[in-house]
């Protein structure tokens, strides 16, 4: 729960479309990645490595405080490739900001002590049992490195929340039950599932993917039925994890992914989206660009100005004022929406 003043700031934001509060700030702290995932093109830009430096962060500290940021998500690329990540975390912690690390998990072991000291929540990518995961991420022995890293972190801290995140796609949709069983054997708190984003310009795809490339990752019309059978299999095989809330969103989250892919193949409408991300969060990239979320185009750049100025520019206010989430084409196909209530802590 948040205080009355924060509730009022969020309400003012909604009414005016000007940001008086920014509960969540995603910092894309490093542009490179140490995986070569089949559903992502970020790794293709690894030669052009950029990162948010401590000096960059310092330029935005006053705005971070003015906008009452409560949680920072460290994303990328791979945040643990950053040359001075823990100095960034130390600065953020001075303001009582909670920090989420979104990671491939390959570097958890060498950074376990620092993560235990500086991070409140870790979201680690696990896309199936070892053989499936390593095939999708195209890193030999990657799953075992993640498993050792998760255990190393848990040995150092029982309080850091560890969430496994799995992207359901052609290469693993038939193995969701095995994914749940595998992650349940690790010292993680829960697992969440998402559909693969194959249509937006996110993840270093400025021109998007053509139909052929989308078909390599998204489920086909012929695979919708078998995926429904796998969801039924999850219901039978994963009673324990489901009953204790280990699967975030339960079977409904998997059914939504099923419906999403059915819609992608023209078999139904896309599931309804409830999202207030542009009013409650923002993404700051290493080159200074500021986005309302990972999937929409940037509002502008902080080069020569402040993050608050970009977020409350005429262009940004007009975007929020005109955005109808329920019918916007980008929002309609969103695989990762955010709906933060006025009263909830991020």
């Amino acid at each position: 729960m948040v205080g009355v003043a924060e509730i009022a700031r969020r309400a003012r934001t909604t009414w005016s479309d000007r940001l008086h509060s920014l509960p969540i700030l995603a910092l894309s702290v490093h542009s490179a990645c140490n995986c070569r995932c089949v559903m992502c093109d970020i790794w293709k830009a690894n030669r052009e490595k950029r990162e948010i430096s401590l000096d960059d962060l310092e330029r935005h500290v006053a705005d971070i405080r003015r906008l009452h940021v409560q949680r920072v998500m460290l994303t990328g690329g791979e945040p643990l490739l950053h040359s001075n990540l823990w100095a960034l975390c130390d600065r953020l912690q001075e303001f009582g900001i909670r920090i989420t690390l979104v990671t491939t998990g390959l570097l958890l072991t060498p950074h376990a002590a620092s993560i235990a000291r500086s991070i409140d929540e870790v979201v680690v990518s696990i896309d199936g049992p070892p053989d499936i995961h390593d095939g999708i991420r195209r890193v030999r022995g990657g799953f075992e490195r993640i498993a050792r890293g998760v255990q190393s972190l848990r040995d150092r801290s029982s309080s850091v929340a560890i969430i496994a995140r799995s992207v359901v796609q052609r290469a693993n949709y038939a193995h969701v039950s095995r994914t749940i069983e595998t992650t349940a054997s690790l010292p993680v708190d829960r697992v969440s599932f998402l559909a693969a984003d194959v249509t937006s310009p996110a993840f270093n795809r400025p021109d998007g993917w053509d139909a052929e490339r989308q078909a390599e990752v998204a489920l086909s019309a012929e695979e919708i039925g078998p995926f429904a059978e796998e969801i039924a299999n999850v219901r039978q095989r994963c009673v324990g994890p489901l009953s204790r809330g280990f699967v975030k969103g339960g079977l409904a989250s998997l059914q939504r992914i099923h419906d999403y892919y059915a819609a992608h193949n023209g078999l139904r409408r896309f599931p309804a989206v409830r999202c207030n991300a542009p009013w409650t969060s923002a993404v700051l990239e290493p080159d200074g660009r500021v986005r309302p979320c990972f999937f929409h185009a940037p509002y502008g750049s902080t080069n020569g100005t402040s993050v608050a100025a970009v977020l409350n520019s005429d262009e940004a206010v007009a975007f929020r004022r005109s955005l109808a989430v329920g019918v916007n084409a980008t929002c309609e196909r969103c695989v990762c929406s955010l709906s933060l209530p006025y009263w909830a802590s991020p």
Side-chain angles (χ1 to χ4, degrees):
M1 297 290 290
V2 298
V4 173
E6 175 62 14
I7 292 174
R9 286 191 291 267
R10 294 185 192 180
R12 288 176 65 197
T13 292
T14 301
W15 298 332
S16 67
D17 293 304
R18 297 186 60 84
L19 296 186
H20 300 275
S21 167
L22 187 71
I24 303 171
L25 175 62
L27 295 179
S28 182
V29 293
H30 199 281
S31 64
C33 190
N34 51 5
C35 285
R36 301 174 68 251
C37 304
V38 299
M39 66 286 193
C40 175
D41 287 347
I42 288 176
W43 58 272
K44 293 183 178 180
N46 278 359
R47 292 182 180 179
E48 305 171 4
K49 297 178 183 177
R50 294 182 177 180
E51 65 179 27
I52 294 177
S53 68
L54 186 57
D55 287 342
D56 293 332
L57 178 64
E58 200 62 43
R59 288 177 47 224
H60 303 305
V61 161
D63 285 344
I64 288 172
R65 299 185 69 179
R66 186 179 301 117
L67 291 169
H68 307 277
V69 173
Q70 296 175 281
R71 180 173 294 279
V72 163
M73 294 177 57
L74 303 175
T75 71
E78 171 50 58
L80 292 177
L81 292 174
H82 194 283
S83 63
N84 200 18
L85 184 64
W86 309 117
L88 298 185
C89 292
D90 288 345
R91 189 71 173 111
L92 293 168
Q93 286 181 313
E94 291 179 18
F95 313 119
I97 292 174
R98 294 184 293 278
I99 303 175
T100 294
L101 172 69
V102 182
T103 176
T104 65
L106 297 176
L107 296 174
L108 286 176
T109 297
H111 291 286
S114 296
I115 294 170
R117 176 179 64 86
S118 300
I119 303 297
D120 301 284
E121 179 183 69
V122 174
V123 179
V124 58
S125 298
I126 299 179
D127 287 320
D131 56 331
I132 303 297
H133 175 88
D134 292 357
I136 289 172
R137 297 277 161 170
R138 294 190 283 203
V139 176
R140 183 176 298 176
F143 182 92
E144 291 305 320
R145 288 170 64 181
I146 293 169
R148 290 195 301 269
V150 168
Q151 186 61 61
S152 181
L153 175 56
R154 184 54 78 219
D155 289 343
R156 286 166 172 79
S157 174
S158 59
S159 61
V160 175
I162 306 176
I163 303 166
R165 176 169 291 168
S166 184
V167 178
V168 178
Q169 55 188 283
R170 293 196 72 183
N172 65 4
Y173 79 91
H175 306 282
V176 173
S177 56
R178 289 179 62 201
T179 301
I180 294 171
E181 292 167 347
T182 300
T183 53
S185 71
L186 301 174
V188 304
D189 296 290
R190 61 185 185 274
V191 62
S192 68
F193 291 93
L194 295 174
D197 170 60
V198 297
T199 58
S200 86
F203 309 111
N204 192 39
R205 302 180 306 224
D207 299 319
W209 277 348
D210 60 25
E212 182 178 358
R213 183 69 178 90
Q214 292 181 30
E216 294 175 6
V217 176
L219 271 63
S220 67
E222 292 73 25
E223 290 166 326
I224 301 302
F227 183 36
E229 294 173 4
E230 175 60 8
I231 294 174
N233 192 32
V234 168
R235 186 191 299 273
Q236 294 179 348
R237 287 181 54 173
C238 303
V239 175
L242 288 170
S243 63
R244 60 185 172 90
F246 180 75
V247 179
K248 185 177 180 181
L251 288 171
S253 67
L254 296 175
Q255 185 62 48
R256 182 180 180 84
I257 296 171
H258 170 277
D259 294 347
Y260 181 91
Y261 282 124
H264 179 75
N265 285 281
L267 302 178
R268 54 157 291 156
R269 293 177 61 88
F270 281 95
V273 172
R274 294 179 64 249
C275 181
N276 61 3
W279 293 267
T280 58
S281 68
V283 180
L284 177 61
E285 299 183 341
D287 62 2
R289 290 182 298 176
V290 181
R291 296 178 181 271
C293 67
F294 291 103
F295 307 105
H296 277 287
Y299 294 134
S301 172
T302 60
N303 295 329
T305 188
S306 70
V307 66
V310 175
L311 288 170
N312 281 321
S313 65
D314 291 344
E315 292 83 0
V317 172
F319 170 83
R320 289 189 289 270
R321 190 162 292 159
S322 64
L323 180 62
V325 172
V327 296
N328 178 271
T330 298
C331 296
E332 182 182 49
R333 292 175 173 269
C334 183
V335 300
C336 186
S337 58
L338 168 69
S339 183
L340 183 67
Y342 287 163
W343 58 87
S345 296

